[in-house]
Amino acid sequence: DENHKVKSWQRVSEKRAYSSAFDAEGRLWLGHLDGLSRYLPAGGGAWSEEARLLPGKYILDVQVDGQGRVWAGTDGFGLMVI
């Protein structure tokens, strides 16, 4: 839908995402080989690199649970909650 339309890929460091998930606030989370990126649709849309939140850079899976927590599956560091 129009609310989830990504307007720009310029700030995403690795465009090949291995996993994606939307949270309850409409933010798109992408897990990729260079970390975790979050798309913030408010204010016209902006990308935020979230690699500093995780010990590993290779994010193979990202999911949002029923309580709104974002989980990232890493290569070598296990499962992490953001």
Side-chain angles (χ1 to χ4, degrees), residues 18 31-35 54-61 73-78:
Y18 287 94
H32 46 77
L33 290 181
D34 199 26
L54 300 166
K57 288 180 66 172
Y58 299 149
I59 309 301
L60 302 176
D61 193 20
T74 66
D75 181 20
F77 291 95

Side-chain angles (χ1 to χ4, degrees), residues 1-12 15 22 26 28 30 38-47:
D1 75 33
E2 191 63 31
N3 292 329
H4 293 136
K5 186 176 181 181
V6 177
K7 298 176 182 164
S8 171
W9 290 100
Q10 292 177 334
R11 301 248 353 232
V12 179
K15 293 181 177 75
F22 283 100
L28 172 62
L30 296 178
R38 179 176 54 160
Y39 181 73
L40 310 167
W47 283 100

Side-chain angles (χ1 to χ4, degrees), residues 3-4 6 9 17-32 35-41 47 50 59-66 68-73 82:
N3 292 329
H4 293 136
V6 177
W9 290 100
Y18 287 94
S19 185
S20 64
F22 283 100
D23 65 18
E25 296 177 28
R27 298 175 293 199
L28 172 62
W29 294 81
L30 296 178
H32 46 77
L36 186 65
S37 298
R38 179 176 54 160
Y39 181 73
L40 310 167
W47 283 100
E50 305 298 328
I59 309 301
L60 302 176
D61 193 20
V62 60
Q63 299 291 322
V64 178
D65 68 18
R69 295 176 296 198
V70 177
W71 293 83
I82 308 302

